[in-house]
Each structure stands twice: as structure tokens, then as C-alpha cells.
Amino acid sequence: MAGMMGQHDGVPAGPFESEPLDLGRVLARPGVPGDEVVRRCERWLVDVLDGADVALGASDAEIAGLVAAEGWSVAQVVGGWVRRAAVAGQEARAPVRELVAPGVTRVR
């Protein structure tokens, strides 16, 4: 993945050194109107939030729509933050095994 942490539907999660265009390539197909691309972008961002177990209220979902309307690169960066934070949280919660004596392991 060379500098990219995780992917969702082939969309890299960053970190990004330049404006990402990957989500746009996934969402914007020939013949798809702009308002449909925005709806797809909003759905993608909400799916990323759901995948990270972020509970969404009505206002949260509305703001996700506003972020999506700013453009797919904005949504991809915000989605990348969420996905990277979720991965970091999972790694932090992973049990740690510690050898405390020959043949004795402690899990914390």
C-alpha cells in the first residue's frame, strides 16, 4: 500500500501529500449527473462512518451531506481521517501478550 493505510472500495485512506482523486474516479462515471455523484459521495462517507462504528444523528448525516457537496477529494480526506483513526483505535485495543516468566504469559 506504500504510504496508504487501508482502502474502502478501492479508495485509499491516506495520509495524503496531494489532493486525492481516487474517490472521484470511483463515483463519477460517464453519464452520471453531478447531483447523483454528490449523493454517491455522501453515501460513501456515511458508509465509512458506519464502518468505524460512528453513531450518526440527523444533524451528523446532514453535515456529511455538506462535506460531500464540497467535493469528493474533501470527502475522501475526511473519510481517510475516520478510517485511520478507527484502525488506530482497534490497534490500541488489541490485547497485548507479555512473557512474565518462562512459560507464563500475561494478557493485558
Side-chain angles (χ1 to χ4, degrees):
M1 277 191 268
M4 301 290 179
M5 293 185 63
Q7 293 200 5
H8 183 271
D9 296 335
V11 178
F16 303 104
E17 298 300 328
S18 60
E19 181 180 8
L21 303 175
D22 313 278
L23 183 57
R25 290 184 188 111
V26 169
L27 300 178
R29 301 284 184 212
V32 176
D35 58 338
E36 177 61 22
V37 173
V38 172
R39 279 193 291 279
R40 289 177 179 189
C41 189
E42 179 181 358
R43 183 73 248 155
W44 179 87
L45 185 54
V46 168
D47 286 349
V48 167
L49 292 163
D50 286 344
D53 293 328
V54 175
L56 297 178
S59 184
D60 297 311
E62 183 177 333
I63 297 299
L66 293 173
V67 169
E70 286 297 316
W72 56 63
S73 61
V74 173
Q76 184 175 346
V77 169
V78 171
W81 295 340
V82 171
R83 289 177 14 221
R84 293 192 315 259
V87 167
Q90 289 170 351
E91 290 171 355
R93 288 187 301 272
V96 176
R97 297 184 183 279
E98 176 182 15
L99 183 63
V100 293
V104 179
T105 304
R106 178 181 359 173
V107 179
R108 20 177 206 117

